[in-house]
Amino acid sequence: MRRDCNKYFVCLDPREEEIFREYAMPLVFQKDHIVFANGDSPDYVYFIERGRLKIYRLTKDGQTITVSIRHPGELFGLAEALMEEPRKCFAQTLETTSLLAVKKDVCKEILKSTPALSIKVNKVLSHRLRRAEEVIYDLINYNVSGRLASFLLNMQEQCGYPCKEGIMLDIKLTHKDIANIIGSTRQSVTQTLQEFKEDGAIIVKNKKIILQDRKKLQSRVY
């Protein structure tokens, strides 16, 4: 499992990993597979070993609103399982993805019997809540440029890796995907990314975005 932890990931120590694997069912899904949908019963909690998913909702007219991207090392499907409520969102793979699925009741017992793991989960859920509040704030206060810059800086924390040009975001998202996340249009995202490139804030290489100058991106937000 992923070891390069940050505040968004539930990083299991060897004993916690052993406990989790003892009860988990391994699953592998190809790109674009729907792991669960709105209205489904929250029967399982999932841990991502490899791959990525998007969590999204649909508007009344069928438009996609991406709530978040989930990366290796993250739990998802936990909130509804703990609340005993039907799923509110869809979870769809962005690439071939390996998961560990644990039945919700078993997951609850694991958390009860492993206080340290329960604290880790609570911290991650708290960070997600804070991030959701930040997204709402961004939508109200910033234009597309500010929201896009904020999104890229946040993604750096989740999937950024040093490279010779700067920090590479190790994920391929279409401009439409990004637009669905920041509440914009594909055309606006394409135009703003081009502005960022011309300003020297980012470069794009092999369809991946590299943050070349974080200060220039931060200046768009703060």
Side-chain angles (χ1 to χ4, degrees), residues 198-210:
E198 293 173 356
D199 189 40
I202 67 169
I203 59 177
V204 178
K205 188 174 183 180
N206 297 325
K207 297 184 178 180
K208 292 184 179 181
I209 296 174
I210 298 173

Side-chain angles (χ1 to χ4, degrees), residues 173-182 184-187 189-191 193-194 197 204 209:
L173 294 172
T174 68
H175 293 184
K176 181 61 176 176
D177 289 332
I178 297 173
N180 289 339
I181 295 171
I182 68 170
S184 183
T185 64
R186 181 191 59 77
Q187 295 86 345
V189 167
T190 299
Q191 179 180 343
L193 285 173
Q194 182 60 37
K197 287 191 286 185
V204 178
I209 296 174

Side-chain angles (χ1 to χ4, degrees), residues 54-192:
K54 66 177 179 180
I55 309 297
Y56 68 93
R57 302 183 74 165
L58 295 177
T59 64
K60 291 181 179 180
D61 58 357
Q63 295 296 311
T64 297
I65 300 176
T66 301
V67 177
S68 62
I69 304 295
R70 297 285 181 246
H71 304 267
E74 289 196 74
L75 282 171
F76 71 98
L78 183 60
E80 296 97 341
L82 293 177
M83 293 187 295
E84 299 283 354
E85 293 183 356
R87 302 290 188 192
K88 300 296 185 183
C89 299
F90 294 79
Q92 181 177 7
T93 57
L94 292 170
E95 57 196 60
T96 300
T97 301
S98 299
L99 305 174
L100 294 177
V102 175
K103 290 184 177 180
K104 65 178 180 181
D105 291 338
V106 173
C107 184
K108 290 178 182 178
E109 290 302 318
I110 291 174
L111 293 178
K112 287 179 182 178
S113 62
T114 317
L117 178 58
S118 182
I119 291 173
K120 290 179 183 179
V121 169
N122 287 333
K123 285 183 177 180
V124 167
L125 292 178
S126 296
H127 282 299
R128 288 181 184 174
L129 176 59
R130 176 170 291 181
R131 178 54 189 164
E133 293 170 347
E134 291 172 350
V135 170
I136 293 171
Y137 181 88
D138 289 353
L139 287 171
I140 295 172
N141 290 279
Y142 300 135
N143 58 16
V144 173
S145 178
R147 298 201 301 271
L148 180 55
S150 178
F151 167 73
L152 295 177
L153 291 167
N154 179 259
M155 289 297 290
Q156 174 196 257
E157 297 183 44
Q158 299 186 51
C159 62
Y161 294 90
C163 66
K164 64 180 181 180
E165 296 96 342
I167 303 294
M168 175 180 288
L169 304 185
D170 188 27
I171 187 172
K172 293 181 180 179
L173 294 172
T174 68
H175 293 184
K176 181 61 176 176
D177 289 332
I178 297 173
N180 289 339
I181 295 171
I182 68 170
S184 183
T185 64
R186 181 191 59 77
Q187 295 86 345
S188 293
V189 167
T190 299
Q191 179 180 343
T192 307

